[in-house]
Amino acid sequence: MGKYALEENHGKKAEDRFEELAIDSGYEVTQSSNYENMAKHIDFYLQHSKGIDCFTVDVKARKKSTRSDSSYNDELVWVEFHNVQGRNGWLYGEADKIAFEREDDFVLIPRVGLAKFCEKAVAPFFVKNSTDAVYKCIQRNGRKDVISKVLMSDIIENVDNILHWKKDVDSVKQAV
């Protein structure tokens, strides 16, 4: 199994964990079509059973700061301005919320607010090394993507209406 297959499997497992948590939390979950996933950056449609909440979500698995790191970094998250084809990245997709997985929870962030924060916070110049990509852009070799790393604590401080869903379903905070 190649490294890209491993990454895809890692992302699928995060989506499965998110879906299970959403169902256990009272949501009806509908998986997006392949087209919606690829073109609109939507993984799921969620509708709460009590009718209090309805939204689309794009789930992001835990990431390492660099490929060579031995562990995940929940303090820094990768954001995508342009995808590998050079088209709009998931920051400019159609999902209502981006769900970042962390060790103990998922942080659901309104995508539009996240995009606005990243546009202001990330410097518009490129670095060559992923370790230098904090609040700076990087384009991976042979790809047309534009990505950057930002601090989760800064996102939480600067973007409104963020939800924290503990992986312990009894602790999920519902939007009203």
Side-chain angles (χ1 to χ4, degrees):
M1 184 180 297
K3 72 178 178 182
Y4 295 112
L6 288 172
E7 289 174 9
E8 184 177 303
N9 189 34
H10 177 65
K12 176 68 173 126
K13 287 181 180 178
E15 290 173 10
D16 291 346
R17 286 187 290 272
F18 179 85
E19 181 178 19
E20 182 179 337
L21 179 58
I23 291 168
D24 289 348
S25 301
Y27 285 88
E28 179 181 322
V29 179
T30 305
Q31 190 164 4
S32 66
S33 68
N34 285 337
Y35 170 78
E36 291 166 321
N37 189 328
M38 299 301 290
K40 296 182 176 188
H41 302 283
I42 294 172
D43 290 321
F44 300 110
Y45 294 84
L46 276 69
Q47 171 68 53
H48 197 273
S49 61
K50 294 182 181 175
I52 60 172
D53 208 7
C54 178
F55 57 91
T56 56
V57 66
D58 188 9
V59 178
K60 301 299 171 195
R62 297 176 74 200
K63 301 278 193 291
K64 298 176 181 182
S65 288
T66 65
R67 290 189 189 271
S68 61
D69 286 351
S70 60
S71 60
Y72 297 107
N73 185 337
D74 290 340
E75 296 304 315
L76 283 170
V77 295
W78 284 98
V79 295
E80 181 185 73
F81 293 94
H82 296 286
N83 67 17
V84 295
Q85 293 89 24
R87 296 186 182 107
N88 281 343
W90 54 257
L91 275 175
Y92 303 109
E94 295 183 28
D96 297 317
K97 298 182 188 303
I98 307 297
F100 289 101
E101 182 183 28
R102 299 192 300 182
E103 183 176 8
D104 297 324
D105 64 1
F106 282 91
V107 181
L108 286 75
I109 302 169
R111 182 195 49 78
V112 171
L114 177 62
K116 287 179 181 178
F117 167 74
C118 291
E119 288 166 358
K120 290 178 185 175
V122 175
F125 60 88
F126 288 83
V127 297
K128 295 190 183 295
N129 190 321
S130 64
T131 58
D132 299 326
V134 179
Y135 293 103
K136 297 175 187 86
C137 298
I138 188 167
Q139 189 170 51
R140 294 176 289 181
N141 193 22
R143 297 184 179 197
K144 297 178 182 177
D145 57 356
V146 176
I147 57 177
S148 182
K149 291 187 283 189
V150 297
L151 286 166
M152 177 60 80
S153 59
D154 286 349
I155 294 168
I156 291 170
E157 185 177 314
N158 289 285
V159 179
D160 293 330
N161 302 313
I162 292 175
L163 302 173
H164 295 267
W165 284 13
K166 295 284 186 188
K167 288 182 179 175
D168 170 11
V169 72
D170 294 331
S171 302
V172 172
K173 295 180 183 176
Q174 300 295 338
V176 180

